[in-house]
Amino acid sequence: MNLKYSPRSIENKWQSVWEQEGAFAVREDPEREKYYLLEMFPYPSGRIHMGHVRNYSIGDVVARFLRMQGYNVLHPMGWDAFGMPAENAAIKAKTHPAKWTYDNIDYMRSQLKKLGFSYDWSREFATCDVSYYRWEQLFFLKMYEKGLAYRRSAYVNWCETCQTVLANEQVEDGACWRCDQAVVQKQMEQWFFRITDYVEELLDYTYKLPGWPERVLTMQQNWIGKSFGSKIHFPLADREGSLTVFTTRADTLFGATFMSLAPEHPLVAELCSGKPEQAGVLEFVEKAKLAKRSDRETEILEKEGVFTGSFCINPVTQRRIPVYIANFVVMEYGTGAVMAVPAHDQRDFELARKYDLPVKLVIKPADAEPVAAESLTQADEEDGVLVDSGPFTGMTSAEAREAVTRHLAEKGLGELTVQYRLRDWGISRQRYWGAPIPIIYCESCGAVPVPEADLPVVLPTEVAMLENGASPLPSYEPFVKAACPRCKGPGRRETDTMDTFVESSWYFARFACADHDRSPLDFERVKYWMPVNQYIGGIEHAVLHLLYSRFFTKVLRDLGYLEADEPFMNLLTQGMVIKDGSKMSKSKGNVVDPDEMVENYGADTVRLFCLFAAPPEKDLEWSAQGVEGAARFLGRVWRLVADHRDALREAVPYDGNGSIGRDLSGLHRKTHGTIKKVTDDIRDRFHFNTAIAAVMELVNQIYQTLDSKPVDEAFWPVVREAVDAVLLLISPIVPHITEELWRQLGHAETLVRTPWPAWREDALKAEEILVVVQVNGKLRSRLVIAADATEEQMRKAAVEDRRVQEFVAGKTIRKIVTVPGKLINIVV
RNA sequence: GCCUGGGUGGUGGAACCGGUAGACACAAGGGACUUAAAAUCCCUUGGGGCUUGCCCCCGUGCGGGUUCGAUUCCCGCCCCAGGCACCA
């Protein structure tokens, strides 16, 4: 009776068995080692795509593997459910974002279940559930109390299409990360999280996360952008006050011959007021601001500047130096003012040549004479030795940076400082489908936090969406009208919602909790599970979600909600799924639908292909033939059992006791070698492709063995041992077909509850081994010799070998290199 | 410009600590079974050479080096992908 492999019925059957048994539900167990495995949760966009399938297949293999190894594995799934696509879709389909979102969740959940992923579904939640975001509002209040959430007016990135503000991290090449619309700068009152308070710890820990990919860490380090330098105050020449610059090159201070301000610098208007240059300056400023917006992502602008009419004093030379405004100086970095040292900074050099400003050389190469400033064709930006710099002349750049600054500090004109690129996280979004910010504005009391007892501020779901895409909240009076919590007078609610990245900044801790109503985080449970041992997701979140989550975890720790310093101990960034050379997308028409694939081939084949075709961190090229190949392999495994079921059922797996023939001992050895290889590949490297290849080799060898006739009573036991190993080893990858075959072989327990197989060292040893013989590093012969041969015996066998003799004939052997059990190299 | 990765057959990829380059697949070609097809199974498959041997030479982006031995380590280039960037 040869049942044909028909994935659909098998997969349905085992999925419901697992569900009925609650096979993947976990609770805290101090007796067992915990392992928290998490894949980035999806946005419920409608249907899962191949990227999800790949991401979750990788995670599922690890979860199932570790469970079989005896770990207490937490493997949850949920939904990153707030966000703008829901609003857009709802407007288009004339429905409500909530309905659209929850419908999508229902469908996508069923898709994930059909793929057989081993989640503890009892922990599922969506971030748009009131029971989730209510606690986020509490965190906001706690952060507000500690000054970690604050409101200020600022130039912010505004996306006209999305009708909302974007964080710096959400602007890519000057355009919105989601819709690609060019971002404009707009001055607005916004709420910020003070991520800069944690900048040092965030940076420090990038050196303490060995389980993260190097490139993600360096991306975060670049984003944080720490640089050491000095703040130097230049007194204004004809009035009170001073201009402060940030520089990393205090050693070049004697060469500062003018000053450059950003067009947005707050002192610009004052400095030119009443001067003949005023009109020209204001015109220049307007032009520069416009140009910045439109050309930000394109070519670097030609350097231009304009004199303000004012002067300041170089604090070491005491010279009056002109104050310019320059189009390349950015207000957001440093102080928005730059001391210009044309001899030693290329940008300043270009400006000086253009406006005929003095160029003064103050650094020379350590081993050469200084050149004349007039003959410079470009700035010399290298460190060197100071010249023409008063008491500092002769010092090296490094010495002078400190000495000059110390000298200034004594006079109150400067200080050593550290500058970061990272800026605070603007979290206000002028969107509807998000968590309301729990603030009420009162005419007399200003911004007043909603009292804890009044939480949650529930997002009203009875509102109608507006056609133009703007948030309906500001015009929805029942929501907006609220009494001031402080003076009870009339107030208006904040109608901005929080950036959806706030929700994804703590969901991983929430999965560890049981009681979702009474507290935000269940301290003891979170303590047991956190941090996440292994996090798996796409590289695109390298500085967004992965930085925000690290920050938020530290905030929650300092607020006393959890203990972990970092959310994710190990990070695996999986590659994209591509087809015909580019990422799958509707516009390219190269999308492969997971549903269709599961329908045609079954979940096991789809999972197998995703894991076999490439190692997880590399991009995966989708190949229809590759899928066929995966299906073919499963067919071979199926027939292995189906064609020999009775003989296999009756056989007791060989346990290594009792002598067996040469071929059978080869299979036995291969079985144990494969167990070792697969275990190592999955545990240490997540290289499922090579693990699968190893099992394929074992399957091939079983078929070869079956081709020989059963000659002794050990035959079926040895084959049975090998077949059992095959099923166990690939069960995390293709869980359904293996459960079915395992059951057919007479096992009573599911594979899910069966321990991972162990290999026996003694079974790996062969009596004879293959030794490679080289002459002068070139492969010349292979020898089969006894495994316990001494080096002496190896050498003797090699030298006596017929083929080796041909190459050695007539030459003197100068040296013989021996690698025991592996290789001999004869040097002549 | 700076910082990460990466470059191996027709294709995806393997070679884990410097030791048989191309495992395992896909594709292609040939064959078996079949009335035929599908399915399945077997063989060949980096390039070149002749003396066709379980032979020889070449071959892991390019050029050098270290070593008995280099896809692997070092130096100098080229190319591709990603990140940062008028950042003072």
Side-chain angles (χ1 to χ4, degrees), chain A residues 164-178:
Chain A
T164 190
V165 163
L166 301 169
N168 293 324
E169 289 80 0
Q170 293 159 353
V171 179
E172 294 168 353
D173 289 335
C176 173
W177 70 302
R178 193 183 278 118

Side-chain angles (χ1 to χ4, degrees), chain A residues 388-433:
Chain A
D388 206 3
S389 294
F392 307 98
T393 301
M395 283 187 183
T396 64
S397 290
E399 291 163 355
R401 278 194 276 272
E402 227 190 296
V404 168
T405 311
R406 211 178 316 114
H407 166 79
L408 291 169
E410 281 163 17
K411 299 181 176 176
L413 287 172
E415 66 213 90
L416 284 173
T417 185
V418 174
Q419 186 66 43
Y420 303 92
R421 216 188 73 95
L422 181 75
R423 268 158 268 155
D424 279 339
W425 174 15
I427 57 138
S428 294
R429 294 293 178 273
Q430 293 67 44
R431 301 304 318 175
Y432 163 72
W433 190 233

Side-chain angles (χ1 to χ4, degrees), chain A residues 35 127 211 222 319 333 424 429 439 463:
Chain A
Y35 196 98
T127 56
N222 285 345
R319 291 246 168 84
Y333 185 76
D424 279 339
R429 294 293 178 273
I439 289 287
V463 296

Side-chain angles (χ1 to χ4, degrees), chain A residues 228-232 245-250 252 339:
Chain A
F228 294 93
S230 311
K231 269 189 182 162
I232 299 176
V245 302
F246 169 74
T247 179
T248 54
R249 293 297 303 272
T252 64
M339 69 177 202

Side-chain angles (χ1 to χ4, degrees), chain A residues 23 79 265 511 583 597 616 631 790 816:
Chain A
W79 310 95
H265 197 283
F511 276 139
K583 187 177 179 173
M597 284 292 137
T790 62
I816 298 179

